[in-house]
Amino acid sequence: MSGITAEVLAGVLAIASTMTQGGDMASSKVGSIGEYIREQRTRAKISLRQLADVSGISNPYLSQIERGLRKPSAEILAQIAKGLRISAEALYVQAGILEDREADTDVSAAIRADLLLTERQKQVLLDIYESFRKENEATGVTHEPLREDEVG
């Protein structure tokens, strides 16, 4: 689950349910989460109806989310993420439910901790990884969903 523990996810869900019940979710983020979902759906070449079907969310409700008229709960965001084949964490960050964290922490730590790699191999992997991140940041590439032909 992208490095999210069950305890962290439970906390996120509790916060999200409080926010949606009280209507306190930042309205400035609501439009941006809808725009982000629409952008990811467009990149994946999925129609609104197709995303609604695969995520189990009604077409009208999903449309309202994309237009910024509705505030999706963490559960709905998780369903949308599954339909888009992106991490729910990415949607939680966009919605303001979860704080953005340094994305390379887990990858870099895993490379550094691998006992089967030499120090030189570790450094080469870290350099390549960082170059990909910088390239994507410079070109504005974000969490791209997998295409059908890429899925195992």
Side-chain angles (χ1 to χ4, degrees):
M1 194 184 275
S2 301
I4 298 179
T5 64
E7 184 178 334
V8 172
L9 184 57
V12 169
L13 295 176
I15 291 168
S17 66
T18 302
M19 288 177 159
T20 53
Q21 289 170 1
D24 296 331
M25 185 181 273
S27 59
S28 63
K29 284 285 191 179
V30 175
S32 65
I33 185 62
E35 291 166 11
Y36 182 78
I37 291 168
R38 177 178 288 147
E39 178 184 309
Q40 295 304 310
R41 180 178 58 76
T42 304
R43 283 185 179 183
K45 296 180 176 32
I46 300 173
S47 72
L48 188 66
R49 186 175 307 269
Q50 288 171 321
L51 180 56
D53 288 344
V54 297
S55 62
I57 300 169
S58 76
N59 193 20
Y61 184 58
L62 189 55
S63 174
Q64 291 171 347
I65 291 170
E66 284 193 356
R67 291 181 288 142
L69 302 175
R70 295 288 180 158
K71 301 172 186 176
S73 67
E75 292 89 352
I76 296 295
L77 290 174
Q79 289 175 257
I80 293 170
K82 184 178 177 186
L84 290 171
R85 297 183 182 184
I86 62 175
S87 75
E89 182 181 30
L91 290 183
Y92 295 155
V93 169
Q94 286 293 320
I97 295 172
L98 190 64
E99 275 189 42
D100 199 2
R101 62 181 174 83
E102 194 60 37
D104 68 344
T105 306
D106 294 337
V107 174
S108 297
I111 292 171
R112 287 188 181 101
D114 194 321
L115 300 174
L116 296 176
L117 297 175
T118 66
E119 289 304 313
R120 178 163 161 44
Q121 290 169 331
K122 291 176 186 180
Q123 191 55 54
V124 169
L125 283 173
L126 290 168
D127 290 345
I128 291 170
Y129 176 68
E130 192 56 35
S131 73
F132 284 149
R133 288 180 42 81
K134 286 180 182 174
E135 179 183 328
N136 288 347
E137 186 177 331
T139 59
V141 173
T142 57
H143 307 280
E144 245 179 68
L146 294 174
R147 295 186 318 262
E148 278 297 315
D149 60 337
E150 293 177 324
V151 178

